[in-house]
Amino acid sequence: VQACLDLHGCTVTEAETELEDFRLYACKKGLRCVKIIHGRGLRSVKGPRIKDAVVRRLAGRHHRNVIAYVTARQCDGGLGALYVLLRK
């Protein structure tokens, strides 16, 4: 993992903005593997809203830059984080 983005405490709109900025930074620096910590949404009444927004963005709008993403290992956040593999 070459860089990490922590979205704890963000609203969905703030998280989407942070994710876009982070994606641009990672692409500019030529990073290949990053970690996005979105949290598990345990305090959210409607479930993991930030996680859902991040997955929607990675699968939809940013799919050109994303090769794959997977839930992080337990020691790196488990269900509250994703590893993202980026294209060159």
Side-chain angles (χ1 to χ4, degrees), residues 11-43:
T11 65
V12 172
T13 304
E14 291 169 343
E16 289 174 340
T17 302
E18 290 288 325
L19 181 61
E20 176 64 16
D21 292 345
F22 184 67
R23 182 190 67 82
L24 292 172
Y25 164 80
C27 289
K28 181 179 177 183
K29 293 291 185 180
L31 304 180
R32 298 297 310 269
C33 183
V34 296
K35 180 172 68 171
I36 300 172
I37 303 169
H38 48 68
R40 291 177 30 195
L42 297 178
R43 286 184 243 157

Side-chain angles (χ1 to χ4, degrees), residues 66-82:
V66 176
I67 295 172
Y69 58 90
V70 67
T71 300
R73 297 179 309 164
Q74 189 63 36
C75 64
D76 281 339
L79 294 174
L82 293 171

Side-chain angles (χ1 to χ4, degrees), residues 37-65:
I37 303 169
H38 48 68
R40 291 177 30 195
L42 297 178
R43 286 184 243 157
S44 176
V45 177
K46 296 181 181 180
R49 296 179 59 206
I50 292 178
K51 178 181 182 176
D52 293 343
V54 168
V55 169
R56 270 194 318 272
R57 288 284 180 135
L58 294 176
R61 187 172 180 193
H62 303 308
H63 72 283
R64 295 179 309 275
N65 301 93

